[in-house]
Amino acid sequence: MKSLVIAEKPSVGRDIARVLNCKQGGNGFLEGKDYIVTWALGHLVELSDPESYGDQWKEWKLETLPMLPEKLEIQVIKKTGGQFRTVKTQMCRKDVNQLIIATDAGREGELVARWIIKKAGVKKPMKRLWISSVTDKAIREGFSHLKEAKEYEHLYEAAVARAEADWLVGLNATRALTAKHNAQLSCGRVQTPTLAILSKRAEQIRAFTPRSFYGFGMEGAGVFFRWKSKNGGSSTFSRAEIQEVEQRTASGAAVVTQVKKKAKTSYAPKLYDLTSLQQEANQKHGFSAKQTLNYMQSLYERHKAVTYPRTDSRYLTEDMTDTLKDRVKACQAGSFAPVCSRILKSPIKGNKSFVDNGKVSDHHAIIPTEQGVQLNELEFGERKIYEMVVSRFLAVLLPPCEYEQTEVTVECGGELFEAKGNRICKPGYREVYGSSEHLGANDCSDDLDEDDGFGGSEESGTSRFGKVYQKSLPAFEKGQTLTLSGGKITEGKTRPPQPFTEATLLAAMENPVKYMENRDQALAKTLGETGGLGTVATRADIIEKLFNSFLMEKKEQYIHLTSKGRQVLELAPGGLTTPELTARWEQKLTDIAKGRAKKKDFEAEIRNYTVEIVNEIAASSKTYKHENITGKKCPECGKLLLSVNHKNGKMLVCQDRECGYRKHLSRLTNARCPQCHKKLELVGEGEHQRFTCVCGYREKLSAFQKRKQEGGGGVSKKDVARYLNQQKKEAKEPLNRGFADALAKLKL
């Protein structure tokens, strides 16, 4: 008899099959003497569509709400139905007497396998493989210590409770809003609080009142010295005070009063989890969260060059330390070769700064695999992301950076001036990043003092007049005299918080505590422990959904609420607009998973809450108004079209939610203007398509392609074809992706 192992993804299934010596290939499974290994493709089974419960829910009508089936059923996802049939066939084999659940070690992983088994109707003894990494050693140890599946019954109940709660609350609220206002409106436990975060930032910006502040600086011995106030700051809100400083120091005669040198150490930044990688990729390369995830998925699945991307951990497990050497060897391509060679000269050991079993839950941090990749095989985005992952991985294996920080204080006319500089003694991990990055400003380590610069705090709007760091300072001695010159009063204004970028919005979703309506410490702690709004695997999709639903838009790199987004916040039930709902749910789901609470009690509460929000929406006297309506009529239904700013361009869409007509007016491309090098927009249709730029540059698409063929600047035919194909694809997709996703029961 054989045991059937069910993994969550093909790549993990193949790793397990290799360790278990399952070499006989099948369509969607691998077989050996004692084991058969098969896999899901993520979820193969989902909660059933509302329409499957009866004709009353085939149409979106307010009078048929709330939708409260006596029992929520599950259905096979059509797109991956073939793999479900493969898994079911293997489970039903007469020579299979045991199932081993080997999906991800976590709540969602448990749900993936249990729903497949339940839908297949198979009742055979079950074991559970519970491992946090998929190295050969971890797999062998895991199979030698298989656990009883019944130990995870409560975890499964918590997973089902979460899925059913999102179905009941999200779909009912979305249908109620849509039917009530006859507009494509959607809301949910995660996406609506995300809109509220954007709204609060916009309000902070509107309410902010700038204040002028002043500073003063002078030069001497080739060094810039900044005035230091009596309270230790470098600026003042009093123009009169700074003018007095200028007058008192007019002679320029100065003496060095203090020279302080301090040996300091800077440690490598932590390894990436998905969120930190998405944030930095957005800051460095302008990649959206979704783009970064797509590049990572390609590197993971197609090139097998990096480990599993959807992780919320920044640490490795102890059993992985034996693999570090082979991973370094796999990174020796291109500019990484010298650093890799240096690392390989000594034994590679892990330490608590990046190896800690206690800080790894479902998956370890993102690092390169032992397989490696040819850099010239990677697309531009893939290569940039791969280089980021490799750089961070090599950095943690190198010693810390040792440097000397020098502070020089001089006195002139009774006023103190200060200059600071850093001199690298041993570059350590900074060797990975090259000499272009110097200590002081924008250092990726928490150990270095930041160069705050001239300006105001983005978060509080308070004045600050930051430190100026030279790469190094010439030798100064206490008592030395020098002449300061070039004195100049500088003026700045305190700045309001900046609008969110994708990077900062991801950070806010991960840690939304300061956006809570009340500061309940228990709820705040729960949000911190459970990862905030959404999960590391779903936040990119949530952001894309909000763009595609036209609830928010991007202006340059900044994200802003649309009129539609602001109105959804006003129309949605109050409880759905704050992170507190997620925190309360997570508290109760944790109790269910640990056997301290009953699933049926949570379900009863959710059903009551569903009735409340539907009644609240139905009874509301608030109305929805299209504020972006145009004078152009829809060619299909005759209603007036709406003008919307899509994430990557401008569109006309029909206001009738059942029509679905759309027309692209322009699309922002990755093609660069040959004059100012900004991204170009592709506008027009057919033979009249042309590239345009904000600087005034214009060129027909055909001329652009011809110039590229002849060796000039521009875009390739491949790039242009990709944009045109994407345009055609989007034209066939549902107008409101967030709306369509709600129907598909994606996480709301």
Side-chain angles (χ1 to χ4, degrees), residues 76-106:
V76 176
I77 299 173
K78 291 182 180 179
K79 187 177 179 180
T80 53
Q83 185 60 22
F84 171 80
R85 290 188 290 273
T86 295
V87 177
K88 180 178 178 179
T89 298
Q90 301 309 308
M91 284 193 288
C92 294
R93 282 174 48 166
K94 293 182 179 180
D95 60 340
V96 170
N97 67 342
Q98 177 180 249
L99 306 179
I100 299 175
I101 297 174
T103 46
D104 292 349

Side-chain angles (χ1 to χ4, degrees), residues 316-366:
L316 306 179
T317 51
E318 292 175 2
D319 59 9
M320 299 182 68
T321 54
D322 291 342
T323 72
L324 297 179
K325 183 176 181 180
D326 289 334
R327 295 176 194 271
V328 174
K329 288 180 179 178
C331 296
Q332 293 186 94
S335 61
F336 295 114
V339 176
C340 291
S341 297
R342 189 164 286 105
I343 293 173
L344 291 170
K345 287 180 179 178
S346 305
I348 301 175
K349 298 178 181 179
N351 59 64
K352 277 292 184 179
S353 68
F354 67 97
V355 178
D356 190 335
N357 287 0
K359 294 182 179 179
V360 178
S361 53
D362 295 1
H363 300 283
H364 57 73
I366 298 170

Side-chain angles (χ1 to χ4, degrees), residues 14 160 167 302 306 318 444 684 689:
R14 294 188 185 100
V160 173
W167 192 99
R302 178 183 168 200
V306 300
E318 292 175 2
C444 52
Q689 289 189 100

Side-chain angles (χ1 to χ4, degrees), residues 407-418:
E407 297 181 13
V408 178
T409 304
V410 303
E411 186 269 331
C412 178
E415 298 291 337
L416 296 180
F417 290 78
E418 186 179 67

